[in-house]
Amino acid sequence: MAAQQEPQQETYPPPPDLARDAVAQPELYERADADRLAFWHDQAKELLSWETEPTEVLDWSRAPFARWFADGRLNVAHNCVDRHVEAGHGDRVAIHWEGEPGDRRSITYAELGREVRRAANALEALGVRRGDRVALYLPMIPEAVVAMLACARIGAPHSVVFGGFSADALRSRVDDAEAVVVVTADGGYRRGAPAGLKANVDEALGDPARGGGSVRTVLVVRRTGQDVGWDDDRDVWWHDAVDGASEEHEAPALEAEHPLFILYTSGTTGKPKGILHTSGGYLTQAAYTHRNVFDVRPESDVYWCAADIGWVTGHSYIVYGPLANGVTQVMYEGTPDTPTRERWWEVVERYGVTLLYTAPTTVRTFMKWGAELLEGHDLSSLRLIGSVGEPINPEAWTWYRTHVGSGRTPVVDTWWQTETGAIMISPLPGVTTTKPGSAQRTLPGISAAVLDDAGEPVTDGQAGYLVLTEPWPSMLRGIWGDDDRYVETYWSRFPGRYFAGDGARLDEDGDVWLLGRVDDVMNVSGHRLSTAEIESALVSHHRVAEAAVVGASDDTTGQAVCAFVILRAREDAEDAEDAEDEGVGGEDGEALVAELRDHVAKEIGPIAKPRQVLVVAELPKTRSGKIMRRLLRDVAEGRETGDVTTLADSSVMGTIRAGMGGPA
Ligand code: 6R9
C-alpha cells in the first residue's frame, strides 16, 4: 500500500437546523470519553427494556472472549415489537413491504407482534428448543423478519443464508451450525421472474450421505405459487403451521449473552466463518448506532435500508436496530431495475422515505443509468442518506448527495463488518463536517487506530492497518465451533487489538479513510467473497488443474471477480490435441469459459460468478509457491506488471500476457 493524497475536496458542515436539533449532539463524544463503560451501561439501560437490568458492563477476563451486561436478562423480540405496542404505538406501521411484482402490505407493530408470537408457537410445536439452530433461506418478504424475530423470541439462534447462495453453500452452512429446521419459500421474485428456493433446499438436503442430516423440518412460505417438490415427512407449509397457531406467547427473559444469531462470512480460507452474535450487547449497539447515525425520529421518519436480510446490514439495520427503535420502514423485495430503472424513486415518493441506506455499488449503478431518471420524482422527503459495504469514492459520494440528497442532505458513510455487528466509524449527521469519501471518526464509545507492520501508530497520512483497540458491545463472540480460528484471525496479528483486515489512513484532521481489504477477501457490490472459496469452486471442475482469483477494480461493482485457470491435460489423444491449441479466443475456449463461470455460480451463487475467466499456461508464483495475486491484478486491471523479482520464474508474466494477446 502506498500513501495517497486526496485532492482538496469540498466539505459539508451539518445543516444548521440539524446541528441544533439532532438526536446526537457533541456531548455524546464527551460522555463516552469521560467513562466509556459507564457510557455503554447508560445506552443499554436507556435504549432497551430489560427483564433484569444489568449491573455488570464488560467482563474481559477471558479476552478476547467478551461478555457484556452478563447479569442482565432480556428478550430481543419483546424489545423489537411487544414493548412498542405496550407503549401505545401498536397502530404505527412497522413495515411497508413492497414485492417486486408490485404487491404491497403495510404491517403495524401490533400485527407484527401477533405474527411473531404465532411463528414462535409454531416453531416450538415443531420441537425447536432454546439453543437449537434454525436456518433461514428466504426472499425479502415480511416472513423473513417474522421468522428471525420468532427465533429470537424463543432463544433459537438463527442462521440466515442469503437467498442467492447455491444449494451447496446452503448445505455447508446448515451442516456447520447443525440446524434442526430450515425456513424457506417456494421462491422469490428477482428481475421480473420467480426464482426457486425450495428446489435448492431439496438439493441441499436430498442426499443424507452428502450432509444436511441435522434437519428435521423444512418450513415453506408460499410466495410465488410455483410448483415445488414435497417430502411429507419433512416439509410443512408455513401457513399450515403458523396461521392457526395461538397469538399468545410468553417471551422468556434470556441472558444477555444468549446466542442470537450466526451469520457466515467469507474469510481468507475456503471455509466460511460462522460469526456468532449474542443478545444484550448486540441489540444495545444496533439500536444506539441506528438512532444516532440516522438521527432517527420514530414518530415521523420513514426509513429504508435497501440491503438483503441475508447480509449483516439486513440483520442490524432492517431487523434489529430499526425495530428496537420502533421506526416505520420500507422493505422491498426485488432489484432496482424492475420493471423500470425508476423503481426506487417511485418507492421513495410513495412512502415519503426520509432516511435511505444503501451501498456504493448501487449509487454507481444509478450514476451509470443517469441522473435524468431521478428528475421526474419528488425526493424532497429525504433528509439523510447513508452508505455501507465498501469504500465510497468521492465522485459517487458527491453524486449521491447532489442527486439523491438534492444537494442538501447529510451523507453518512458507515464503516463496520459482520464481525463488529454494528456501525463503528461514521460521521454523526448533526455534528460532523463531512468529507466525500471518508468514514471519518469512530463513534462515541468506540476506539480504533491505524498501525504499521510493527504495530506502531502510523504518522504523516501513511497507509496502515485498521485495528479496534477496545472491546465493544456488539462485537462477535467468536466463530461458531472454532475458538482457535477466532483468536488466530482477529487477535494474533497485533496482540490485544482486533485486526479488521482493512487498510486505512488518517488525514491531518485525524479522519479515517478506508482503503479496502488487505487480505485475500474481495468486495464485489459490497459482498465479501473469498478468493480461496472461488478458487476451490473452480478446481472442483473436472477441466481445471489450478486456479487463481483476484478482485480487479470495476467501475460499478467496486471489485469484480477475475479468474486465471490452468487446464488439465485431457486423457484421450484426440482431446489432448485440441486442448493444446485451445486459446482464450477459440470457440471451445469460449464455451469452456462460459461453463466455468456457470460452475462457480452453481457452486457458490450468482454473486460469485467471475466477470472474466482467463485460461493461462502458468501462474506467477513466489519461490515458496505462493501465488502472486498482485501481479494478476495488474493483468486484470490492464496495467504494466509491477515488481516481478520475487517470482520463481520471471518469464511467467510474459507468457500470460502473450497468451491473452496483450502487451508482454
Ligand atoms: C457491513 C458490511 C465488511 C467489509 C469491511 C470493509 C468493507 C464496509 C465500508 C467498508 C469502506 C465503508 N466495508 N463498509 N469499506 N467503507 N463504509 O459490509 O459487512 O459484509 O462483513 O463486510 O466491507 O472492507 O471489512 P461485511
Side-chain angles (χ1 to χ4, degrees):
M1 278 179 294
Q4 50 189 91
Q5 224 46 61
E6 265 65 36
Q8 209 51 48
Q9 284 281 348
E10 196 165 345
T11 59
Y12 302 92
D17 52 336
L18 191 62
R20 198 179 53 239
D21 303 334
V23 171
Q25 294 292 326
E27 58 264 22
L28 207 61
Y29 291 105
E30 290 156 29
R31 276 172 64 195
D33 289 345
D35 187 339
R36 193 174 61 89
L37 294 179
F39 172 81
W40 283 119
H41 199 192
D42 289 346
Q43 297 302 327
K45 290 187 288 189
E46 283 166 24
L47 296 171
L48 306 184
S49 302
W50 297 80
E51 177 74 31
T52 311
E53 271 203 359
T55 62
E56 297 167 20
V57 184
L58 169 66
D59 176 1
W60 194 229
S61 58
R62 276 185 62 237
F65 296 89
R67 288 165 64 77
W68 281 86
F69 313 122
D71 66 343
R73 299 178 83 87
L74 82 173
N75 186 283
V76 169
H78 173 267
N79 269 276
C80 290
V81 191
D82 308 56
R83 67 163 170 155
H84 304 312
V85 180
E86 286 163 15
H89 306 307
D91 293 337
R92 183 184 296 162
V93 171
I95 301 172
H96 288 295
W97 175 78
E98 190 157 314
E100 198 190 71
D103 43 342
R104 293 174 206 156
R105 275 170 76 186
S106 289
I107 303 165
T108 64
Y109 273 94
E111 289 165 337
L112 183 63
R114 285 194 286 274
E115 277 301 296
V116 171
R117 292 192 297 272
R118 283 198 192 98
N121 281 318
L123 287 173
E124 287 182 337
L126 291 169
V128 180
R129 297 286 168 258
R130 190 175 301 178
D132 286 348
R133 275 80 59 205
V134 175
L136 310 185
Y137 185 63
L138 285 160
M140 284 289 288
I141 54 178
E143 287 81 357
V145 178
V146 171
M148 287 167 78
L149 292 171
C151 288
R153 191 171 183 101
I154 65 174
H158 54 69
S159 163
V160 180
V161 179
F162 174 55
F165 276 138
S166 67
D168 286 341
L170 172 63
R171 176 173 39 234
S172 65
R173 285 158 176 77
V174 162
D175 283 347
D176 188 72
E178 298 172 282
V180 297
V181 170
V182 177
V183 185
T184 188
D186 47 1
Y189 290 95
R190 206 85 203 134
R191 301 217 151 73
L197 288 169
K198 173 67 163 61
N200 288 348
V201 176
D202 293 343
E203 189 186 333
L205 307 180
D207 177 1
R210 296 184 64 200
S214 56
V215 176
R216 294 191 304 258
T217 310
V218 177
L219 197 52
V220 189
V221 179
R222 180 133 65 203
R223 164 70 185 125
T224 60
Q226 69 200 96
D227 284 339
V228 289
W230 205 257
D231 174 346
D232 284 326
D233 296 330
R234 188 198 67 188
D235 300 344
V236 180
W237 284 110
W238 170 278
H239 52 258
D240 287 340
V242 176
D243 290 2
S246 163
E247 57 181 60
E248 306 293 325
H249 183 275
E250 187 77 36
L254 302 172
E255 288 181 6
E257 284 296 338
H258 190 81
L260 179 62
F261 66 84
I262 304 167
L263 184 60
Y264 287 84
T265 189
S266 296
T268 49
T269 71
K271 190 177 181 301
K273 303 177 282 200
I275 302 301
L276 175 66
H277 283 288
T278 60
S279 303
Y282 170 80
L283 196 64
T284 297
Q285 197 175 327
Y288 159 78
T289 50
H290 180 253
R291 183 175 137 85
N292 290 295
V293 171
F294 294 98
D295 187 52
V296 165
R297 325 286 171 109
E299 323 72 47
S300 53
D301 273 320
V302 179
Y303 162 84
W304 182 17
C305 168
D308 190 284
I309 49 126
W311 309 112
V312 74
T313 305
H315 283 60
S316 302
Y317 298 105
I318 293 178
V319 181
Y320 293 111
L323 295 178
N325 288 333
V327 80
T328 294
Q329 69 177 313
V330 168
M331 181 176 173
Y332 170 57
E333 180 186 26
T335 52
D337 53 355
T338 309
T340 73
R341 292 176 169 181
E342 290 171 58
R343 183 63 182 265
W344 271 38
W345 317 118
E346 288 161 9
V347 169
V348 168
E349 239 180 329
R350 179 151 43 247
Y351 301 101
V353 172
T354 58
L355 312 169
L356 178 68
Y357 194 26
T358 189
T361 181
T362 314
V363 174
R364 289 191 297 264
T365 301
F366 290 134
M367 276 175 83
K368 201 167 67 187
W369 289 347
E372 312 81 70
L373 295 181
L374 285 70
E375 276 157 17
H377 297 278
D378 178 6
L379 306 182
S380 61
S381 56
L382 287 170
R383 66 178 190 91
L384 194 153
I385 57 182
S387 172
V388 59
E390 53 176 317
I392 181 163
N393 46 310
E395 299 71 35
W397 192 106
T398 305
W399 190 95
Y400 192 30
R401 183 178 182 278
T402 307
H403 297 286
V404 179
S406 306
R408 63 182 162 73
T409 70
V411 177
V412 287
D413 174 13
T414 62
W415 179 89
W416 59 294
Q417 310 177 296
T418 305
E419 293 88 340
T420 70
I423 299 171
M424 304 293 280
I425 305 177
S426 165
L428 285 178
V431 180
T432 316
T433 292
T434 51
K435 298 177 184 170
S438 171
Q440 300 199 282
R441 275 186 82 170
T442 48
L443 288 176
I446 302 299
S447 0
V450 178
L451 304 182
D452 64 17
D453 274 308
E456 296 300 323
V458 293
T459 48
D460 298 339
Q462 294 290 316
Y465 304 100
L466 179 69
V467 298
L468 301 168
T469 51
E470 297 288 349
W472 62 101
S474 64
M475 66 192 286
L476 74 166
R477 298 303 195 261
I479 294 176
W480 184 257
D482 201 343
D483 284 353
D484 292 346
R485 190 175 179 196
Y486 167 64
V487 176
E488 166 64 29
T489 308
Y490 304 107
W491 300 93
S492 66
R493 179 72 179 78
F494 301 107
R497 264 86 48 99
Y498 171 90
F499 175 57
D502 279 26
R505 63 179 198 85
L506 301 176
D507 68 15
E508 60 283 2
D509 303 321
D511 285 322
V512 182
W513 294 76
L514 274 312
L515 304 173
R517 301 289 304 188
V518 295
D519 53 17
D520 293 333
V521 174
M522 293 169 290
N523 191 324
V524 179
S525 298
H527 299 148
R528 268 164 76 171
L529 296 170
S530 109
T531 54
E533 210 176 341
I534 299 177
E535 285 162 6
S536 66
L538 283 165
V539 293
S540 76
H541 188 278
H542 66 279
R543 292 291 312 277
V544 176
E546 204 180 344
V549 166
V550 297
S553 63
D554 183 283
D555 284 349
T556 306
T557 57
Q559 284 188 307
V561 179
C562 213
F564 294 79
V565 297
I566 300 177
L567 298 181
R568 285 182 194 215
R570 288 205 177 165
E571 269 106 67
D572 48 314
E574 221 179 300
D575 281 353
E577 207 168 288
D578 66 49
E580 236 160 59
D581 50 38
E582 200 169 69
V584 253
E587 227 169 79
D588 182 32
E590 272 168 37
L592 179 65
V593 162
E595 191 179 319
L596 293 177
R597 293 178 67 230
D598 290 343
H599 179 72
V600 174
K602 178 169 181 311
E603 290 289 308
I604 301 173
I607 47 162
K609 193 170 180 164
R611 182 186 70 185
Q612 271 169 293
V613 175
L614 301 169
V615 178
V616 295
E618 277 174 275
L619 290 170
K621 292 192 182 158
T622 60
R623 287 173 190 86
S624 64
K626 251 177 163 311
I627 294 172
M628 292 191 69
R629 290 197 177 72
R630 172 171 63 78
L631 299 178
L632 293 174
R633 220 170 288 131
D634 289 339
V635 175
E637 293 176 350
R639 262 193 310 274
E640 291 289 305
T641 311
D643 183 6
V644 295
T645 48
T646 49
L647 274 182
D649 172 359
S650 58
S651 68
V652 169
M653 291 315 294
T655 318
I656 291 177
R657 296 225 188 240
M660 290 170 49

